[in-house]
Amino acid sequence: MRALLPLFLLSAAAVGVEIALTRFFAVASFSEYGYWVISIAMTGFAVSGVVMVLGRDAFLRRAATLLPALPLAMLVAGAAGWIAASANPFNPLELQNPATAWPQLENILGYYAALFPFFFLAGLAVSLNFVARPERIGLVYGYDLLGAGAGAVAALLLMLVLHPFLLVPALLPLLALATALAGGRRWRIAAVTVLVAAEAAVFAFAAPAVSQYKPIYAPLNVQGGQVLGEWTSPRGLYQLLDNFTERLDTDVTNNAGSMGMPAPPRAYGLYRDGSRIAALPMRLPVEAGHAPGALDAAPYALLDAPRVLLLGAAGGFRAAEALALGAAHVTVIEPEAVLRDALRHGLGPVPAMAPDPRITLSDAHPLRAAGRFDLVDVSGDFLSADDQNRHAYTREALAARLAQLNPGGMISIPVSIRELPAYAVRVIATAQAALRLAGVSDPGAHLAVIRSAWNLRVLVAREAFDEARVAKLLDFAEARSFDLSWAPGLPPGREVWNELSAVSLDSGGVDSGSGSSADAVAEEAAALLSGTPRQDAFDRSPLTADRPWLSPLVRLPAVGAAIERMEVLPQPEIGLLVNVAVLAQAALLALVVAGLPLLARGSLRVRPAMMGRALVFFPALGLGFLMVEIALIEQAALLLGDRTAGFALVLTAMLVFSGLGAVLAGRVANPGRALRIAALLALVLGVGAAFVLPGAVAAALDLPFAVRAGLLVLALAPLSLAMGMPFPLGLDRFRQEGAALLPWAWALNGAFSVVATPLANLIAHGIGIAPLLLAGAACYLAVALAWPRSSA
C-alpha cells in the first residue's frame, strides 16, 4: 500500500490540476472552453497507453527509476504548461471573423502544446503502475480512482480560499511529495529542489489575466473605477465594481423625459467569473421612479394590485419596481446564493433589503414555490444570474406556475433578443407547450409578446386575452415606443418602432424578413402559433425538464453552415461548434488507438477474436462511465441548486466508490461472474435512474442542503461500486491473453473517454438527459457481452 501512495498523489494532482484549469478558462475566457482541458487530459492518457504498448519492455526495465521520476517530470511539465497557457493570447471572438480566425486556431494548438505533456506523463505514470504490478490491478486502479477523488476534493477546498489563478501552483507540491515517497534520499533532495525552482518560475513568469473581450474588462479599466470587494468560492470569482458605467440594466422607454420619468439609477455591478450577474443598489430606499416606463411594467398595466411571485430580485431593484407599479405583495425568490445573502445581509457597501411588510423573501426553490399569485414575474437578469435558473423556463415549470395563478393572472417571461430573435421564438414555443400541458386548446389566445429593440417579454395568461386587455397592452406599448409583436386579434398595419430583422444561416446573413413589418418575432410567432413554424438551421423546440437549455440553437445538421457564417452567431452558439470540433478530434484519436495492433505489427501476440472483444469491452467502459457521470452531474446540479456543487459531489462520490469497487474487484473468487453481476447492476441502476431520478430530484428540492447531498451520495454509492469493478476485472482478464494487451486496453479506455465528453453533451442538448443515461447504461450491457468466457 505504501508503494501505491505516490500513485494516489499523482492521480490527485492530475485531477486537481484539470479542475483548476477549467476554472482558469471560466475566468479568463468562457466556461465552455473548459472542454479543451478534459479533451487534452484524456488525450494525454490515451497517447500514454499507445506509447506504453510500443515500449512496454523498455519501460519495465527502467520502472524503478521511472516511478519516482515521472511525478517529478509532471511537476516540471505542469509549471511550464501553466506559464505557457497563462500567456496564450487566445480570443474566441476572433474565431468568428475569417480574417482573424487562423491565428486563434494556432492559439488553440498552443494550449494543446502547453498542457498535453503534463497529462501524457500522468497517464504514463498510471499505466506503468499497471504494467509493473499486473498481479494487483484492482488495488492499483482503486488507488488511482481514490487519488483522483481526493484531488477533486482538494481543488474544491482550495477554491474557498484561493483566487482561481493560484490553484495550479497550489497543487504542484503533491507531485514533489509523490517523488519523495517513491524514491530514496537523492530523489527527496531532487523533489525539493525542483519544486522550489518550479514555483519560483511560476510566480516569476506566469501572467494569467482576464482577456479584453470579457464583459468585466472595460469596467475594470475605466477612469476612477474601483473594485470594492472580491470573494472566491467554488461557485465562482465574485467582484463588486463601482464606476460611472454601472447602472441598472433595464429597458426604459425613449419617451421617459416627456413622460416625466427619471433614468434608471446608478448601481454597483456584481460580476461572477468576469460576467455581470446583477446590479446592486447603492443606497436605501431603492430608486424605482423609472419603473412605469420600463418594458417590465407591461403586465402591471393589466392587473390591479397584484400579488406577485418574483423570480430574481435584481439586487432588490425588482421588488421596489413591483411595489412602485402597484403590487399589493411581493414574494421574492433569489436562488443565487451570493445575491440572496446580499438581500438579507448586504454585501460590502451594498445595503441589505429594507424590511417591508409587503415583501417576503422566500427560501423556496423556484420550481417549488407555494401559494397563489396574480403575477409570476421573472426578472430580466434571472436567467444569467445562475446556471440552474434555466429550469424555470421549461414547459413543465411554466405549466406548474400556471396552476398557481388566480383568475385573471399571468406569467411574464423576459428574453434577450440582442443577438438572435430565435431565442424568443423558442420561449414562445415553450409557453405554447406549457399551455397545452395545462389543458388549453388554443394557446395563441393566451399569449402576448411585447418588446423593445433589445429585450422581449412573453406574457402567458391563465384566461384568454380579451379585446379590452389587448387594447390596454397596445396603448402601453405605443405610449413608450415598444412593439406589440403578438396578441390575439391584434389589428394589422401597425407601425414598428424598433425594427428587428431575422438572422438566417440559410441566406448567409441577416435578412429583413418575409414581409414588410420588419418584426422578425411577429412573423415567427404568427407562423408558430398557426401551426406552421419556420424550419431552418435553428432549433425552436420547447424547453423541457429533460432538455432545459435555451442555447445553443444551431441544429447539428446545420453545423457546416454555422461554421461558414460564424460571424452572425452570438457567443453561446460558438460553444456548440467547439464541442463538435473536440468530438471530431476525439474520434480521430480513438480510430488511431483502435488501430494500434496494426501499427504494432503483431507485437500484441493476441488472437484476433480476443482483440475484437477488447475493442468492444474497453471503449464501452470509457463511453459508459462518462455518459452516466455527465447525466448524473446535470441532475445533481438541479438537486443542489449549484452546478459546481453537483459536479464536485458526483465526481468525488463516483471516483471514491468506483475506487472501492476496484479494490473489491481484486478480491473476488470468480471474476467472470463478478463482472456480469457488476455490469448488469450498472445497467439496471442506470436505466432506473433515467426514469426515477427526475421525479425524485423534483420531490427533494425543498429538503435541507445537507439532506439532499446525503441522499445523492447514497444514490450514487451502489451504482459507482458496480461501475468501478469492470475495468480492473477486464484488465486482469485480458492480460491473461497477452501482457501487451494491458497498456492497449488503458489506451482504448482513455481514447473513448475523450469521445464520451463532447458526445455526451451533444446527446444531452440534442435529445435529452434521460436518453444520455440510457445510452451510458447500455454500454454496460455491451461490456457484459464482450467478456471472454474462457481463456482457452
Side-chain angles (χ1 to χ4, degrees):
M1 290 185 178
R2 182 180 177 184
L4 289 175
L5 282 176
L7 172 63
F8 178 94
L9 291 168
L10 71 88
S11 295
V15 171
V17 168
E18 183 178 349
I19 293 172
L21 287 170
T22 63
R23 290 293 301 127
F24 162 69
F25 275 100
V27 175
S29 182
F30 291 98
S31 58
E32 57 261 34
Y33 297 103
Y35 286 131
W36 287 341
V37 180
I38 299 172
S39 171
I40 295 167
M42 298 312 300
T43 300
F45 274 59
V47 174
S48 72
V50 173
V51 172
M52 186 61 69
V53 170
L54 300 176
R56 175 179 170 275
D57 293 339
F59 282 110
L60 268 178
R61 287 194 302 269
R62 298 169 176 81
T65 300
L66 288 173
L67 287 173
L70 284 172
L72 206 58
M74 285 176 64
L75 173 55
V76 174
W82 172 241
I83 292 169
S86 66
N88 192 315
F90 174 67
N91 183 346
L93 299 185
E94 292 188 4
L95 286 171
Q96 297 175 252
N97 186 336
T100 59
W102 184 252
Q104 298 310 317
L105 294 176
E106 293 177 348
N107 288 334
I108 293 172
L109 292 176
Y111 279 129
Y112 275 78
L115 302 176
F116 172 83
F118 176 82
F119 294 106
F120 168 76
L121 291 168
L124 205 60
V126 175
S127 59
L128 181 59
N129 272 276
F130 281 121
V131 170
R133 299 179 173 95
E135 74 288 350
R136 305 302 301 274
I137 284 176
L139 197 62
V140 171
Y141 188 54
Y143 266 71
D144 176 37
L145 292 181
L146 290 171
V153 172
L156 290 160
L157 291 176
L158 288 171
M159 288 180 201
L160 294 170
V161 295
L162 293 181
H163 189 285
F165 294 165
L166 297 175
L167 293 175
V168 171
L171 290 161
L172 293 179
L174 291 174
L175 296 166
L177 183 57
T179 292
L181 291 175
R185 182 172 179 274
R186 285 186 299 174
W187 283 111
R188 288 193 286 273
I189 294 172
V192 172
T193 303
V194 172
L195 176 62
V196 171
E199 295 285 12
V202 163
F203 286 103
F205 301 112
V210 175
S211 296
Q212 61 184 4
Y213 56 84
K214 292 286 282 191
I216 198 173
Y217 183 83
L220 270 179
N221 291 279
V222 298
Q223 186 174 5
Q226 300 179 68
V227 178
L228 301 178
E230 186 171 281
W231 302 268
T232 183
S233 79
R235 295 178 66 92
L237 174 67
Y238 292 85
Q239 293 168 290
L240 184 67
L241 271 58
D242 179 23
N243 58 77
F244 73 87
T245 70
E246 299 290 351
R247 306 192 74 86
L248 175 64
D249 185 14
T250 186
D251 267 346
V252 177
T253 173
N254 293 330
N255 307 331
S258 62
M259 297 176 72
M261 299 175 196
R266 278 280 314 277
Y268 298 124
L270 183 64
Y271 292 75
R272 184 182 61 232
D273 288 347
S275 296
R276 195 173 192 260
I277 63 170
L280 299 182
M282 304 180 80
R283 63 186 65 86
L284 295 178
V286 176
E287 302 170 57
H290 62 281
L295 179 68
D296 301 344
Y300 295 87
L302 308 180
L303 298 167
D304 183 27
R307 296 186 63 83
V308 179
L309 174 63
L310 186 60
L311 300 184
F317 282 110
R318 288 295 293 133
E321 290 170 352
L323 294 176
L325 292 168
H329 188 272
V330 182
T331 299
V332 178
I333 294 180
E334 180 53 81
E336 213 287 334
V338 172
L339 289 176
R340 185 171 61 249
D341 288 345
L343 294 175
R344 291 194 184 279
H345 311 296
L347 184 70
V350 178
M353 190 163 61
D356 190 318
R358 298 171 296 172
I359 299 176
T360 299
L361 183 55
S362 171
D363 289 327
H365 192 279
L367 301 185
R368 301 285 291 177
R372 306 289 300 182
F373 304 97
D374 302 303
L375 174 63
V376 178
D377 188 4
V378 183
S379 290
D381 57 8
F382 180 73
L383 194 59
S384 60
D386 192 286
D387 181 60
Q388 294 310 305
N389 288 350
R390 66 174 184 268
H391 292 278
Y393 273 61
T394 64
R395 173 189 61 190
E396 293 83 355
L398 294 182
R401 296 288 78 80
L402 281 166
Q404 291 182 279
L405 293 176
N406 293 319
M410 64 182 63
I411 307 170
S412 177
I413 312 164
V415 195
S416 171
I417 51 174
R418 293 172 188 264
E419 295 170 299
L420 273 184
Y423 290 127
V425 181
R426 194 169 196 184
V427 173
I428 295 169
T430 305
Q432 178 188 40
L435 286 162
R436 286 178 176 156
L437 191 62
V440 174
S441 59
D442 182 15
H446 295 249
L447 291 171
V449 179
I450 185 171
R451 71 173 183 85
S452 68
W454 308 111
N455 296 287
L456 171 150
R457 284 266 169 180
V458 179
L459 305 183
V460 189
R462 174 178 144 158
E463 283 80 32
F465 281 95
D466 57 23
E467 187 177 339
R469 273 194 162 183
V470 172
K472 278 187 179 180
L473 200 55
L474 190 57
D475 288 344
F476 173 89
E478 292 191 349
R480 293 159 178 80
S481 300
F482 296 143
D483 291 297
L484 194 58
S485 293
W486 169 264
L490 199 62
R494 306 175 319 280
E495 182 176 1
V496 175
W497 298 100
N498 307 280
E499 290 194 6
L500 182 65
S501 298
V503 176
S504 172
L505 297 183
D506 300 332
S507 62
V510 177
D511 59 49
S512 58
S514 58
S516 59
S517 71
D519 188 338
V521 170
E523 295 177 5
E524 288 215 46
L528 172 73
L529 296 171
S530 67
T532 57
R534 182 173 179 175
Q535 301 293 327
D536 61 10
F538 298 125
D539 180 9
R540 295 171 178 82
S541 61
L543 307 185
T544 67
D546 202 47
R547 291 180 63 219
W549 295 278
L550 184 57
S551 64
L553 287 176
V554 175
R555 299 178 189 271
L556 283 179
V559 164
I563 292 173
E564 291 180 5
R565 302 299 300 167
M566 285 176 65
E567 68 272 14
V568 304
L569 294 176
Q571 173 60 35
E573 300 301 313
I574 304 303
L576 171 71
L577 306 184
V578 172
N579 216 14
V580 172
V582 170
L583 178 59
Q585 166 224 298
L588 180 61
L589 172 68
L591 287 174
V592 171
V593 173
L596 183 61
L598 297 177
L599 299 175
R601 296 186 177 275
S603 65
L604 295 179
R605 301 184 183 90
V606 178
R607 291 178 292 129
M610 196 57 61
M611 279 196 236
R613 287 184 177 273
L615 276 170
V616 174
F617 188 94
F618 293 104
L621 282 178
L623 291 169
F625 191 97
L626 276 174
M627 284 182 171
V628 170
E629 181 180 68
I630 289 170
L632 293 176
I633 286 171
E634 293 298 335
Q635 293 289 1
L638 173 59
L639 176 66
L640 301 180
D642 176 25
R643 182 171 183 82
T644 302
F647 172 81
L649 197 56
V650 170
L651 179 65
T652 303
M654 289 191 70
L655 287 173
V656 169
F657 285 108
S658 295
L660 294 176
V663 173
L664 181 63
R667 301 179 179 181
V668 298
N670 188 332
R673 185 167 179 267
L675 180 284
R676 288 189 289 273
I677 291 174
L680 293 177
L681 185 60
L683 171 65
V684 171
L685 291 175
V687 171
F691 292 101
V692 175
L693 200 56
V697 167
L701 289 174
D702 284 337
L703 296 174
F705 182 88
V707 175
R708 283 177 278 147
L711 290 173
L712 178 61
V713 172
L714 287 176
L716 290 171
L719 176 61
S720 302
L721 278 168
M723 292 171 64
M725 295 182 70
F727 187 65
L729 289 172
L731 286 178
D732 187 60
R733 176 65 187 85
F734 281 92
R735 177 185 60 84
Q736 297 170 19
E737 302 291 330
L741 261 180
L742 197 153
W744 182 50
W746 170 257
L748 280 173
N749 183 263
F752 281 87
S753 295
V754 182
V755 173
T757 302
L759 180 61
N761 280 286
L762 291 175
I763 292 173
H765 283 76
I767 305 174
I769 299 169
L772 176 60
L773 255 177
L774 293 174
C779 289
Y780 284 86
L781 177 60
V783 166
L785 294 175
W787 177 260
R789 302 289 175 173
S790 69
S791 58

